[in-house]
Amino acid sequence: MGSRVTADVEQVLAQEVRRLKQEVDRLRAIERSRWWRLNPRRILRERRTRSLRRQVPVAVPAPPPVSALARRFRDEVVSRGRFSSDWFTRAAESWEPLFQELAGAPCRLLEIGSYEGLSATYFLWRLPHATVTCVDTFGGSLEHAGEANYPAALEDAFEANVALVDASRIEKRVGESRRVLADLHDEGRLFDLVYVDGSHLALDVLVDAALSWRLLRVGGFLVFDDYVWAELGDDALLRPGPAVDAFLALVAGRHEVVIRTRQLGLRKTAA
Protein backbone atom coordinates (compact mmCIF):
# COMPACT_ATOMS: atom_id res chain seq x y z
CA MET A 1 0.00 0.00 0.00
CA GLY A 2 2.82 2.37 0.93
CA SER A 3 4.59 1.85 -2.40
CA ARG A 4 1.36 2.55 -4.28
CA VAL A 5 0.86 5.82 -2.39
CA THR A 6 4.48 6.79 -3.12
CA ALA A 7 4.00 6.03 -6.81
CA ASP A 8 0.82 8.15 -6.89
CA VAL A 9 2.61 11.06 -5.23
CA GLU A 10 5.55 10.79 -7.65
CA GLN A 11 3.15 10.79 -10.59
CA VAL A 12 1.40 13.93 -9.32
CA LEU A 13 4.75 15.64 -8.76
CA ALA A 14 5.94 14.67 -12.24
CA GLN A 15 2.77 16.14 -13.77
CA GLU A 16 3.25 19.37 -11.80
CA VAL A 17 6.89 19.64 -12.90
CA ARG A 18 5.84 19.22 -16.56
CA ARG A 19 3.18 21.92 -16.11
CA LEU A 20 5.68 24.30 -14.52
CA LYS A 21 8.19 23.71 -17.33
CA GLN A 22 5.51 24.53 -19.93
CA GLU A 23 4.64 27.74 -18.05
CA VAL A 24 8.31 28.70 -17.79
CA ASP A 25 8.77 28.19 -21.54
CA ARG A 26 5.70 30.35 -22.20
CA LEU A 27 7.01 33.15 -19.99
CA ARG A 28 10.43 32.99 -21.62
CA ALA A 29 8.79 33.47 -25.01
CA ILE A 30 6.83 36.45 -23.67
CA GLU A 31 9.94 37.98 -22.09
CA ARG A 32 11.97 37.49 -25.27
CA SER A 33 9.27 39.14 -27.37
CA ARG A 34 8.96 42.07 -24.98
CA TRP A 35 12.72 42.47 -24.81
CA TRP A 36 13.43 42.67 -28.50
CA ARG A 37 10.47 44.97 -29.12
CA LEU A 38 10.88 47.30 -26.15
CA ASN A 39 14.18 46.67 -24.29
CA PRO A 40 12.64 47.22 -20.80
CA ARG A 41 15.97 47.97 -19.07
CA ARG A 42 16.53 50.97 -21.37
CA ILE A 43 12.92 52.15 -21.04
CA LEU A 44 12.98 51.87 -17.24
CA ARG A 45 16.30 53.70 -17.07
CA GLU A 46 14.87 56.56 -19.18
CA ARG A 47 11.72 56.75 -17.05
CA ARG A 48 13.77 56.89 -13.85
CA THR A 49 15.99 59.60 -15.31
CA ARG A 50 12.99 61.73 -16.29
CA SER A 51 11.41 61.18 -12.87
CA LEU A 52 14.57 62.18 -11.05
CA ARG A 53 14.83 65.38 -13.11
CA ARG A 54 11.36 66.40 -11.91
CA GLN A 55 12.16 65.73 -8.26
CA VAL A 56 13.80 68.11 -5.80
CA PRO A 57 17.39 66.95 -5.24
CA VAL A 58 17.90 65.18 -1.94
CA ALA A 59 21.03 64.17 -0.07
CA VAL A 60 22.00 60.59 -0.76
CA PRO A 61 23.78 58.87 2.15
CA ALA A 62 27.27 57.63 1.39
CA PRO A 63 27.59 53.83 1.07
CA PRO A 64 29.25 52.06 3.99
CA PRO A 65 33.04 51.75 3.75
CA VAL A 66 34.41 48.75 1.93
CA SER A 67 36.03 46.24 4.27
CA ALA A 68 39.72 45.41 4.21
CA LEU A 69 38.80 41.93 2.96
CA ALA A 70 36.88 43.39 0.01
CA ARG A 71 39.73 45.75 -0.84
CA ARG A 72 42.17 42.83 -0.86
CA PHE A 73 39.96 40.85 -3.23
CA ARG A 74 39.61 43.81 -5.57
CA ASP A 75 43.36 44.41 -5.57
CA GLU A 76 44.38 40.76 -5.93
CA VAL A 77 41.69 39.49 -8.31
CA VAL A 78 39.21 42.01 -9.75
CA SER A 79 41.91 44.41 -10.94
CA ARG A 80 43.50 41.60 -12.99
CA GLY A 81 40.32 40.03 -14.32
CA ARG A 82 37.92 40.36 -17.23
CA PHE A 83 34.97 41.71 -15.23
CA SER A 84 32.51 44.27 -16.61
CA SER A 85 31.77 45.43 -13.05
CA ASP A 86 32.29 44.43 -9.42
CA TRP A 87 28.70 43.88 -8.35
CA PHE A 88 29.36 41.13 -5.78
CA THR A 89 32.15 42.17 -3.42
CA ARG A 90 30.16 44.55 -1.21
CA ALA A 91 27.21 42.13 -1.04
CA ALA A 92 29.57 39.33 0.00
CA GLU A 93 30.38 41.16 3.23
CA SER A 94 26.96 40.10 4.58
CA TRP A 95 28.00 36.49 3.88
CA GLU A 96 30.92 36.62 6.31
CA PRO A 97 29.20 34.63 9.09
CA LEU A 98 28.56 31.88 6.51
CA PHE A 99 32.12 31.99 5.18
CA GLN A 100 33.57 31.85 8.68
CA GLU A 101 31.56 28.72 9.39
CA LEU A 102 32.64 27.05 6.14
CA ALA A 103 36.28 28.16 6.17
CA GLY A 104 39.07 25.87 7.33
CA ALA A 105 37.61 22.59 6.06
CA PRO A 106 36.64 21.12 2.68
CA CYS A 107 33.22 22.34 1.55
CA ARG A 108 31.12 22.04 -1.58
CA LEU A 109 29.40 25.04 -3.15
CA LEU A 110 26.86 25.12 -5.98
CA GLU A 111 26.29 28.28 -8.01
CA ILE A 112 23.31 28.66 -10.36
CA GLY A 113 24.14 31.46 -12.78
CA SER A 114 27.85 32.30 -13.05
CA TYR A 115 28.04 35.01 -15.75
CA GLU A 116 31.67 36.24 -15.78
CA GLY A 117 32.61 34.20 -12.70
CA LEU A 118 32.89 37.05 -10.21
CA SER A 119 31.03 35.35 -7.35
CA ALA A 120 32.62 31.97 -8.11
CA THR A 121 36.05 33.62 -8.06
CA TYR A 122 35.27 35.21 -4.70
CA PHE A 123 34.21 31.82 -3.30
CA LEU A 124 37.49 30.26 -4.45
CA TRP A 125 39.49 33.17 -3.01
CA ARG A 126 37.66 33.38 0.31
CA LEU A 127 37.38 29.60 0.91
CA PRO A 128 40.67 27.95 -0.11
CA HIS A 129 39.36 24.45 0.70
CA ALA A 130 36.13 24.83 -1.27
CA THR A 131 35.11 23.31 -4.58
CA VAL A 132 32.52 25.18 -6.64
CA THR A 133 30.11 23.64 -9.15
CA CYS A 134 29.00 26.36 -11.59
CA VAL A 135 25.82 25.96 -13.64
CA ASP A 136 25.19 28.32 -16.56
CA THR A 137 24.21 28.23 -20.22
CA PHE A 138 26.89 30.90 -20.84
CA GLY A 139 24.52 32.29 -23.43
CA GLY A 140 23.97 35.48 -21.48
CA SER A 141 20.74 36.96 -20.15
CA LEU A 142 18.16 39.05 -21.98
CA GLU A 143 18.38 41.81 -19.38
CA HIS A 144 22.02 42.49 -20.34
CA ALA A 145 21.55 42.42 -24.11
CA GLY A 146 22.37 45.67 -25.86
CA GLU A 147 24.68 46.94 -23.13
CA ALA A 148 28.05 48.24 -24.24
CA ASN A 149 29.96 45.94 -21.87
CA TYR A 150 28.01 42.81 -22.79
CA PRO A 151 30.73 40.17 -23.37
CA ALA A 152 30.96 38.55 -26.77
CA ALA A 153 32.57 35.43 -25.28
CA LEU A 154 31.07 34.98 -21.83
CA GLU A 155 32.39 31.48 -21.21
CA ASP A 156 35.94 32.55 -22.15
CA ALA A 157 35.72 35.44 -19.65
CA PHE A 158 34.49 33.05 -16.96
CA GLU A 159 37.37 30.63 -17.49
CA ALA A 160 39.97 33.39 -17.54
CA ASN A 161 38.62 34.88 -14.32
CA VAL A 162 38.41 31.70 -12.23
CA ALA A 163 41.93 30.83 -13.40
CA LEU A 164 43.14 33.90 -11.49
CA VAL A 165 42.55 31.94 -8.27
CA ASP A 166 42.32 28.18 -8.89
CA ALA A 167 40.38 26.78 -11.84
CA SER A 168 41.12 23.22 -10.66
CA ARG A 169 38.52 23.65 -7.91
CA ILE A 170 35.80 24.59 -10.40
CA GLU A 171 33.37 22.09 -11.93
CA LYS A 172 31.62 23.74 -14.87
CA ARG A 173 28.22 22.38 -15.93
CA VAL A 174 26.93 24.03 -19.11
CA GLY A 175 23.17 23.86 -19.56
CA GLU A 176 19.80 24.95 -18.23
CA SER A 177 19.64 24.76 -14.45
CA ARG A 178 16.46 22.70 -14.27
CA ARG A 179 18.15 19.92 -16.24
CA VAL A 180 21.61 20.15 -14.64
CA LEU A 181 20.24 20.23 -11.08
CA ALA A 182 18.16 17.15 -11.78
CA ASP A 183 21.30 15.41 -13.05
CA LEU A 184 23.21 16.40 -9.91
CA HIS A 185 20.42 14.95 -7.78
CA ASP A 186 20.49 11.69 -9.74
CA GLU A 187 24.24 11.58 -9.07
CA GLY A 188 23.58 11.78 -5.34
CA ARG A 189 25.36 15.11 -4.90
CA LEU A 190 25.00 17.23 -1.76
CA PHE A 191 26.29 20.76 -1.14
CA ASP A 192 27.12 22.94 1.86
CA LEU A 193 26.03 26.17 0.16
CA VAL A 194 23.85 26.84 -2.87
CA TYR A 195 23.72 30.29 -4.49
CA VAL A 196 20.70 30.89 -6.75
CA ASP A 197 21.42 33.68 -9.25
CA GLY A 198 20.05 32.46 -12.57
CA SER A 199 16.79 33.56 -14.17
CA HIS A 200 14.79 36.40 -12.63
CA LEU A 201 11.44 34.92 -13.72
CA ALA A 202 9.48 33.77 -10.68
CA LEU A 203 8.67 30.28 -11.92
CA ASP A 204 12.30 29.68 -12.90
CA VAL A 205 13.38 30.80 -9.43
CA LEU A 206 10.80 28.51 -7.80
CA VAL A 207 12.03 25.52 -9.80
CA ASP A 208 15.67 26.34 -8.98
CA ALA A 209 14.77 26.71 -5.30
CA ALA A 210 12.95 23.37 -5.12
CA LEU A 211 15.72 21.48 -6.89
CA SER A 212 18.41 23.24 -4.83
CA TRP A 213 16.70 22.29 -1.57
CA ARG A 214 17.07 18.61 -2.46
CA LEU A 215 20.79 19.16 -3.13
CA LEU A 216 21.46 21.03 0.13
CA ARG A 217 22.62 19.15 3.22
CA VAL A 218 20.87 19.82 6.51
CA GLY A 219 22.79 22.67 8.16
CA GLY A 220 23.82 24.09 4.78
CA PHE A 221 23.02 27.51 3.35
CA LEU A 222 20.77 28.57 0.47
CA VAL A 223 21.21 32.16 -0.77
CA PHE A 224 18.99 33.91 -3.32
CA ASP A 225 20.36 36.89 -5.23
CA ASP A 226 18.24 39.88 -6.30
CA TYR A 227 15.46 39.21 -3.79
CA VAL A 228 14.09 42.74 -4.30
CA TRP A 229 14.78 42.94 -8.07
CA ALA A 230 11.84 44.35 -10.10
CA GLU A 231 13.29 45.88 -13.26
CA LEU A 232 10.67 44.26 -15.51
CA GLY A 233 7.79 45.70 -13.51
CA ASP A 234 5.53 44.69 -10.61
CA ASP A 235 4.09 41.53 -12.17
CA ALA A 236 4.78 38.77 -9.63
CA LEU A 237 5.78 36.35 -12.39
CA LEU A 238 8.55 38.71 -13.55
CA ARG A 239 10.27 39.10 -10.15
CA PRO A 240 12.31 36.69 -7.99
CA GLY A 241 10.89 37.93 -4.65
CA PRO A 242 7.40 36.36 -4.84
CA ALA A 243 8.92 32.99 -5.79
CA VAL A 244 11.36 33.15 -2.87
CA ASP A 245 8.52 34.06 -0.49
CA ALA A 246 6.40 31.16 -1.78
CA PHE A 247 9.32 28.79 -1.33
CA LEU A 248 9.96 30.00 2.23
CA ALA A 249 6.32 29.27 3.04
CA LEU A 250 6.70 25.75 1.66
CA VAL A 251 9.73 25.01 3.86
CA ALA A 252 8.43 26.81 6.94
CA GLY A 253 9.77 25.23 10.10
CA ARG A 254 12.70 23.74 8.21
CA HIS A 255 14.88 26.83 7.83
CA GLU A 256 16.10 29.98 9.53
CA VAL A 257 16.83 33.25 7.71
CA VAL A 258 20.47 34.32 8.09
CA ILE A 259 20.78 37.09 5.44
CA ARG A 260 18.17 39.69 4.52
CA THR A 261 19.55 42.46 2.30
CA ARG A 262 19.00 42.70 -1.46
CA GLN A 263 19.84 39.02 -1.14
CA LEU A 264 18.09 36.52 1.11
CA GLY A 265 19.93 33.65 2.73
CA LEU A 266 18.69 30.80 4.88
CA ARG A 267 20.06 27.82 6.75
CA LYS A 268 18.38 24.44 6.20
CA THR A 269 17.53 23.13 9.66
CA ALA A 270 15.58 20.03 8.66
CA ALA A 271 14.98 17.92 5.56
Side-chain angles (χ1 to χ4, degrees):
M1 181 67 180
S3 61
R4 180 177 178 181
V5 172
T6 301
D8 290 343
V9 170
E10 290 179 348
Q11 184 178 4
V12 170
L13 287 173
Q15 291 173 347
E16 183 63 13
V17 168
R18 286 195 295 270
R19 186 189 68 78
L20 284 172
K21 287 181 178 177
Q22 290 173 352
E23 185 66 14
V24 167
D25 290 340
R26 183 182 70 83
L27 283 170
R28 280 184 176 145
I30 292 172
E31 184 190 38
R32 188 175 297 111
S33 174
R34 287 176 178 172
W35 181 269
W36 294 118
R37 285 186 293 109
L38 300 175
N39 195 335
R41 177 180 283 265
R42 174 177 56 80
I43 291 173
L44 288 168
R45 187 184 297 119
E46 291 174 353
R47 285 178 181 173
R48 288 171 183 158
T49 300
R50 288 195 297 268
S51 176
L52 287 171
R53 287 171 180 167
R54 291 193 298 266
Q55 295 173 3
V56 177
V58 296
V60 178
V66 177
S67 70
L69 197 66
R71 287 196 298 271
R72 276 183 51 211
F73 176 71
R74 291 177 178 179
D75 291 342
E76 296 175 13
V77 180
V78 177
S79 64
R80 300 187 294 123
R82 293 169 53 184
F83 301 106
S84 57
S85 65
D86 180 4
W87 54 269
F88 182 77
T89 305
R90 190 180 297 277
E93 294 181 26
S94 63
W95 295 46
E96 264 308 298
L98 284 59
F99 291 142
Q100 290 173 13
E101 186 168 328
L102 295 172
C107 57
R108 296 151 298 185
L109 280 61
L110 171 63
E111 176 180 78
I112 303 167
S114 294
Y115 195 52
E116 299 166 325
L118 179 63
S119 51
T121 303
Y122 190 92
F123 297 150
L124 294 173
W125 180 85
R126 180 64 184 83
L127 300 170
H129 302 290
T131 57
V132 186
T133 300
C134 296
V135 179
D136 204 306
T137 62
F138 293 102
S141 174
L142 288 174
E143 71 205 56
H144 297 291
E147 294 185 357
N149 58 6
Y150 190 71
L154 190 56
E155 191 170 359
D156 290 344
F158 168 85
E159 292 182 349
N161 289 330
V162 297
L164 293 172
V165 183
D166 185 358
S168 69
R169 291 190 282 125
I170 288 286
E171 177 189 6
K172 184 177 65 175
R173 293 288 189 105
V174 181
E176 295 183 342
S177 59
R178 69 178 186 269
R179 304 184 190 282
V180 176
L181 298 184
D183 290 341
L184 290 171
H185 179 264
D186 290 344
E187 295 167 15
R189 304 284 293 276
L190 283 175
F191 296 89
D192 301 292
L193 185 151
V194 181
Y195 180 35
V196 179
D197 186 24
S199 170
H200 286 121
L201 296 179
L203 291 180
D204 284 345
V205 175
L206 192 56
V207 170
D208 284 345
L211 294 174
S212 295
W213 184 258
R214 301 172 69 186
L215 293 166
L216 184 67
R217 68 168 177 82
V218 174
F221 302 103
L222 178 59
V223 181
F224 297 93
D225 194 49
D226 293 320
Y227 175 61
V228 298
W229 189 90
E231 292 200 18
L232 293 180
D234 294 329
D235 187 334
L237 289 176
L238 301 178
R239 296 186 287 128
V244 176
D245 291 338
F247 176 73
L248 293 181
L250 288 173
V251 296
R254 295 176 172 84
H255 75 275
E256 60 177 347
V257 174
V258 293
I259 298 173
R260 189 183 291 275
T261 56
R262 70 173 184 84
Q263 300 171 324
L264 189 138
L266 57 90
R267 183 198 296 270
K268 182 176 180 177
T269 58

